[in-house]
RNA sequence: GGUCCCGUAGCUCAGUUGGAUAGAGCACCGGAUUCCUAAUCCGGGGGUCGCAGGUUCGAAUCCUGCCGGGAUCACCA
């Protein structure tokens, strides 16, 4: 028992009926049941739940869909959970649940509370979600925000649906750019010791955020580094600087409520010999060779040199061309480290490797998939999700960002201005592969246009009613409830929506699409606001009615069920529900 | 030129992994407040789902080819 999911419940009834048909010989024993869907119909007038079972299985049964539907419907009508079972269209079976079913659903929601929606469909699968993984050369900028929020919400979503999730950050601390970082910091170190360093030379990081790093270095080493040659000071300064940058990045992430469990250093892959080991293994399997790559098609680059290099046969596994493992200076490429990294992840037992990347890394996905295929042999899935750009606006005007290095909007500036909850929710109001506009003014507006506000307001309104209840009802606030009293169409629609929550989470998790949670919450909030206003025209629909304590208590319990859906959904997005506005 | 993503109402976007008559918000027009938060709600018009084929009981969804927009394209990360 993993919690109340009415569509699972109905599916079991449908499958039981199908087994009966199998026993009667009307349906082959090996009929494919996995293609059957049990879902809410698009049009509520068609009932509460619909299944395509008869259409999917008609061929196997050698019957017309509507005839098979007739057999199935006859069996389902015997179930007390259903009030009506009808055949419609080409062979849909539409079911309306009995009046007695809905109170049971609400009881279950209240009993499960904060756990409502949780499931074990992930079967404790070990999932590695790698996200952010920004270079440790400076603070996170706004471009990192979307991937950070998306990855974190996805990790929460997978956890909620029964996966064993590890949140991971890959530190690119082995390449040339961390050497550039070291030289940039060394300049700030000299500056801290009183030297006039003038303009920061092109090719180095000019940002002021390196000043305190240089100062800290001066405090730690005094003038001692000045006399050493670069070969000696560079590793020291580099390690020091990377550590400080990662501390900075962790602070930025913490401001957004993000905390990775594992920070994995690229350098350890080189130093531990893991890359050597991985390449030897590939060599044994004949997947590595020395050869030449064809020059890029279209216009060939000016500095293209045709040369022999060590290549991985990624084209055997779906990639367009084979990929180089070593650079011209003999050191390993970034790709070689990633091969070893994937091997490491597989050795740690992950069977699902999720990569949250910026859209500019789209060209990298095929080779990652190829590596995973080669190393796991298909026992693990690699899932890449690309996040499109976020465009910043302020009152409809684009926020200008000069291309001059160092002049960019940081993640921290955005979070500090509008708050982490707004940032997180807004980043999930579009599909990850669609571009997103973020307007500093609109996202803090208190209006229907602003989805964050709209959902939060629904939650706050519910809290407000619950606060007023004890005052208005007094001792009558406590006592039994009778959910069968909730008979208005607006109320019933909300109950159905509550019932969809676990299914929505499952679908979102399977598709790796946390934005679906955000859209669900907007729908739920809209239906709640509608009911609220209905109580203005029809006083008998108000939540608190002192002259009718039983109905009042029932509606308050109903509101708590709605609140659980709102709060649980927001929690997955990493947004704190507010109780007052 | 290759690869990947996108194309749905005037605008911004959903569309339950192939289902029934394609939905919401904004904008436009008209309404609702003695009363639990009007920071909200109700009603109205608005469509060649980029185009053309194919797959089948059934396509916005899957396949192929075009058109248009974006990203990317040896050794950097």
């Amino acid at each position: 028992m993993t919690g109340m999911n009415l569509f699972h419940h109905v599916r079991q009834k449908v499958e039981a009926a199908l087994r009966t048909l199998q026993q009667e010989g009307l349906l082959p024993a090996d009929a494919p049941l996995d293609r059957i869907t049990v879902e809410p119909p698009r049009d509520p007038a068609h009932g509460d739940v619909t299944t395509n079972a008869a259409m999917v299985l008609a061929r196997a049964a050698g019957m017309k869909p509507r005839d098979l539907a007739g057999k199935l419907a006859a069996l389902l009508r015997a179930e007390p959970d259903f009030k009506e079972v009808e055949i419609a269209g080409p062979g849909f079976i539409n079911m309306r649940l009995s009046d007695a079913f809905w109170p049971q659903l609400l009881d279950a929601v209240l009993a499960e509370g904060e756990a409502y929606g949780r499931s074990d469909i992930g079967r404790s699968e070990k999932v590695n979600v790698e996200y952010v993984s920004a270079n440790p050369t400076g603070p996170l900028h706004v471009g990192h925000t979307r991937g950070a929020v998306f990855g974190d919400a996805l990790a929460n979503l997978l956890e909620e649906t029964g996966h064993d999730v590890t949140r991971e950050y890959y530190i690119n601390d082995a390449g040339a750019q961390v050497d550039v970082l070291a030289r940039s910091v060394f300049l700030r170190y000299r500056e801290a010791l009183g030297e006039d360093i003038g303009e920061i030379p092109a090719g180095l990081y000019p940002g002021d955020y390196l000043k305190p790093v240089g100062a800290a270095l001066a405090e730690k080493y005094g003038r001692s580094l000045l006399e050493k040659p670069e070969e000696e000071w560079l590793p020291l300064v580099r390690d020091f600087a990377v550590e400080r940058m990662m501390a900075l990045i962790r602070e930025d992430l913490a401001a957004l409520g993000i905390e990775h469990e594992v920070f994995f250093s690229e350098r350890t892959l080189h130093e531990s010999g893991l890359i050597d080991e991985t390449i030897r293994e590939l060599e044994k399997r004949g997947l590595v060779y020395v050869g030449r790559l064809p020059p890029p098609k279209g216009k060939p680059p000016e500095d293209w040199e045709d040369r022999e290099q060590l290549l991985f046969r990624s084209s055997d596994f779906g990639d367009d061309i084979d990929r180089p493992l070593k650079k011209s200076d003999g050191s390993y490429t970034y790709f070689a480290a990633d091969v070893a990294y994937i091997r490491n992840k597989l050795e740690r037992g992950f069977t699902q490797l999720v990569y949250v990347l910026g859209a500019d890394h789209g060209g990298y996905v095929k080779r990652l998939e190829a590596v995973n295929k080669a190393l796991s042999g298909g026992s693990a899935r690699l899932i890449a999700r690309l996040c499109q750009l976020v465009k910043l606006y302020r009152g409809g005007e684009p926020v200008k960002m000069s291309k001059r290095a160092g002049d960019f909007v940081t993640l921290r500036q955005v979070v500090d201005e509008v708050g982490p909850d707004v940032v997180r929710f807004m980043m999930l109001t579009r599909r990850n592969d669609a571009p997103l506009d973020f307007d500093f003014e609109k996202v803090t507006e208190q209006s229907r246009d602003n989805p964050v506000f709209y959902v939060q307001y629904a939650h706050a309104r519910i809290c407000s009613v619950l606060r007023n209840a004890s005052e208005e009802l007094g001792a009558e606030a406590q006592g039994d409830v009778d959910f069968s009293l909730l008979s208005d169409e607006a109320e019933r629609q909300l109950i159905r929506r509550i019932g969809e929550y676990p299914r929505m989470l499952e679908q979102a998790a399977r598709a790796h699409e946390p934005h679906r949670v955000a859209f669900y919450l907007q729908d739920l909030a809209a239906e709640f606001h509608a009911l609220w206003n209905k109580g203005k025209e029809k006083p008998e629909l108000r939540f608190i009615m002192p002259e009718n304590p039983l109905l009042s208590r029932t509606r308050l319990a109903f509101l708590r069920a709605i609140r659980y859906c709102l709060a649980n959904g927001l929690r997955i997005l990493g947004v704190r529900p507010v109780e007052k506005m």
Side-chain angles (χ1 to χ4, degrees):
Chain A
M1 189 63 184
T2 64
M4 183 62 188
N5 181 327
L6 82 85
F7 297 94
H8 286 181
H9 182 78
V10 172
R11 189 185 184 97
Q12 282 170 11
K13 304 290 181 192
V14 171
E15 287 182 355
L18 289 169
R19 277 194 295 276
T20 303
L21 291 180
Q22 285 174 329
Q23 281 160 17
E24 291 173 0
L26 287 168
L27 198 62
D30 60 348
L33 302 187
D34 54 324
R35 285 195 57 230
I36 296 173
T37 60
V38 175
E39 58 192 353
R42 187 164 289 175
D43 185 348
H46 291 140
D48 301 316
V49 188
T50 186
T51 179
N52 63 357
M55 291 179 289
V56 170
L57 298 173
R59 190 190 296 270
M63 298 172 73
K64 288 179 184 172
R66 286 192 67 106
D67 292 345
L68 179 58
K71 300 280 185 192
L72 201 50
L75 289 168
L76 291 171
R77 284 194 187 98
E79 284 287 340
D81 280 341
F82 302 125
K83 185 160 69 176
E84 291 169 18
V85 179
E86 285 172 352
I87 301 163
F92 289 103
I93 300 173
N94 294 333
M95 292 156 275
R96 201 171 291 279
L97 289 156
S98 66
D99 296 336
F101 181 84
W102 299 109
Q104 292 171 34
L105 174 79
L106 290 172
D107 285 338
V109 173
L110 292 173
E112 292 180 43
E114 291 178 3
Y116 179 57
R118 217 167 277 169
S119 68
D120 63 359
I121 58 161
R123 299 182 182 182
S124 301
E125 179 181 12
K126 281 187 67 123
V127 181
N128 183 283
V129 183
E130 187 198 320
Y131 58 110
V132 189
S133 296
N135 292 332
T137 54
L140 297 175
H141 58 82
V142 67
H144 296 116
T145 311
R146 192 171 185 184
V149 171
F150 175 87
D152 205 54
L154 176 58
N156 292 345
L157 177 61
L158 291 172
E159 219 159 51
E160 190 80 353
T161 48
H163 301 77
D164 180 3
V165 175
T166 299
R167 296 161 173 80
E168 192 150 323
Y169 185 119
Y170 184 52
I171 308 171
N172 301 129
D173 54 1
Q177 77 223 321
V178 282
D179 292 344
V180 173
L181 173 71
R183 293 191 190 98
S184 309
V185 167
F186 192 75
L187 205 59
R188 295 299 189 180
Y189 161 73
R190 284 163 46 196
E191 183 183 40
L193 291 172
E195 206 175 310
D196 180 10
I197 58 170
E199 287 272 305
I200 306 289
L204 294 185
Y205 299 117
D208 285 348
Y209 61 89
L210 293 179
K211 282 184 181 173
V213 185
L217 208 56
E219 196 171 323
K220 183 174 178 186
Y221 289 100
R223 305 187 69 85
S224 67
L225 296 181
L226 291 174
E227 294 108 48
K228 294 181 196 274
E230 182 177 294
E231 308 89 77
E232 283 183 39
W233 61 253
L234 192 131
L236 294 174
V237 175
R238 185 189 59 202
D239 290 2
F240 186 85
V242 167
E243 202 178 310
R244 296 293 290 248
M245 290 303 104
M246 284 311 298
L248 195 62
I249 287 170
R250 273 186 236 228
E251 276 177 40
D252 288 350
L253 291 172
L256 255 183
I258 294 171
E259 199 174 335
H260 292 79
E261 281 117 27
V262 175
F263 286 85
F264 196 98
S265 154
E266 179 187 0
R267 188 123 45 83
T268 62
L269 290 170
H270 292 267
E271 291 172 355
S272 65
L274 215 60
I275 300 180
D276 299 319
E277 207 179 297
T278 304
I279 289 179
R280 274 199 301 277
E281 184 192 314
L282 292 174
E283 273 170 349
K284 269 187 216 164
R285 295 177 51 196
L287 298 177
V288 170
Y289 68 103
V290 176
R292 295 170 187 276
L293 283 178
K297 287 173 183 168
K299 45 179 177 181
E302 311 273 325
D303 55 346
W304 166 260
E305 52 174 302
D306 185 25
R307 65 180 186 85
E308 297 223 308
Q309 47 192 341
L310 190 67
L311 298 167
F312 168 64
R313 293 190 189 279
S314 48
S315 61
D316 284 6
F317 302 92
D319 199 0
D320 302 315
I321 55 169
D322 295 335
R323 302 292 174 180
L325 293 163
K326 281 191 177 177
K327 304 184 214 169
S328 45
D329 66 357
S331 62
Y332 287 123
T333 59
Y334 178 82
F335 174 66
D338 238 345
V339 176
Y341 187 28
I342 287 180
R343 181 163 174 265
N344 169 274
K345 284 179 178 175
L346 295 172
E347 279 175 351
R348 281 187 279 155
F350 295 109
T351 54
Q352 189 180 140
L353 311 182
V354 179
Y355 283 80
V356 179
L357 304 169
D360 54 342
H361 285 67
Y364 208 71
V365 173
K366 276 192 179 182
R367 76 193 71 169
L368 288 177
E369 287 171 343
V371 171
N372 174 57
K373 272 182 210 158
L375 293 178
S376 77
S379 63
R381 282 197 296 164
L382 188 145
I383 293 165
R385 281 289 174 274
L386 304 178
C387 290
Q388 275 289 348
L389 293 178
V390 177
K391 283 184 194 163
L392 293 181
Y393 294 85
R394 189 177 293 280
E397 293 298 312
V399 174
K400 284 181 188 165
M401 276 183 282
S402 117
K403 286 188 178 172
R404 190 164 52 83
D407 181 23
F408 48 74
V409 177
T410 64
L411 177 147
R412 197 54 183 269
Q413 286 169 331
V414 179
V415 174
D416 286 348
E417 180 169 339
V418 304
D421 292 323
V422 167
V423 173
R424 292 192 61 124
F425 197 101
M426 287 309 302
M427 290 294 155
L428 296 165
T429 53
R430 289 282 180 279
R431 258 180 19 234
N432 56 289
D433 48 8
L436 170 68
D437 293 341
F438 185 97
D439 192 311
F440 281 99
E441 287 181 13
K442 283 186 184 166
V443 299
T444 50
E445 221 168 69
Q446 301 198 329
S447 74
R448 168 82 229 229
D449 316 16
N450 178 357
V452 197
F453 164 78
Y454 189 70
V455 173
Q456 291 278 30
Y457 184 41
H459 187 269
R461 267 184 156 176
I462 290 174
C463 293
S464 169
V465 177
L466 295 176
R467 277 195 303 271
N468 292 337
S470 54
E471 201 174 311
E472 295 200 35
L473 293 175
E476 301 273 27
Q478 303 299 318
D480 56 344
V481 302
D482 179 3
F483 287 127
S484 67
L485 298 173
L486 302 176
S487 56
D488 187 83
E489 187 44 43
E491 291 173 326
R492 302 191 72 109
Q493 175 53 36
L494 266 160
I495 297 171
R496 282 195 293 270
R497 183 72 65 185
I498 292 169
E500 280 174 22
Y501 177 73
R503 177 185 148 81
M504 178 278 300
L505 282 190
E506 282 189 18
Q507 303 271 350
R510 279 191 222 280
H512 296 83
E513 291 182 350
H515 76 272
R516 294 190 191 199
V517 180
F519 280 94
Y520 170 88
L521 291 174
Q522 293 180 66
D523 289 343
L524 180 62
E527 283 164 6
F528 165 74
H529 286 306
L531 177 62
W532 177 290
N533 272 77
K534 222 172 163 182
K536 299 211 171 285
E537 289 167 28
K538 297 184 180 177
E540 69 273 19
L541 283 176
R542 291 166 56 83
F543 302 116
I544 302 174
M545 294 189 294
E547 70 281 7
N548 192 339
L550 175 62
L551 184 55
S552 299
R553 287 196 298 270
T554 299
R555 290 204 168 127
L556 292 169
F558 173 48
L559 287 184
R560 283 195 287 124
I562 298 170
R563 190 180 62 169
Y564 279 126
C565 289
L566 287 169
N568 293 355
L570 286 171
R571 190 183 63 236
I572 290 168
L573 303 185
V575 177
R576 293 165 298 204
V578 300
E579 302 194 356
K580 271 187 185 174
M581 303 185 79

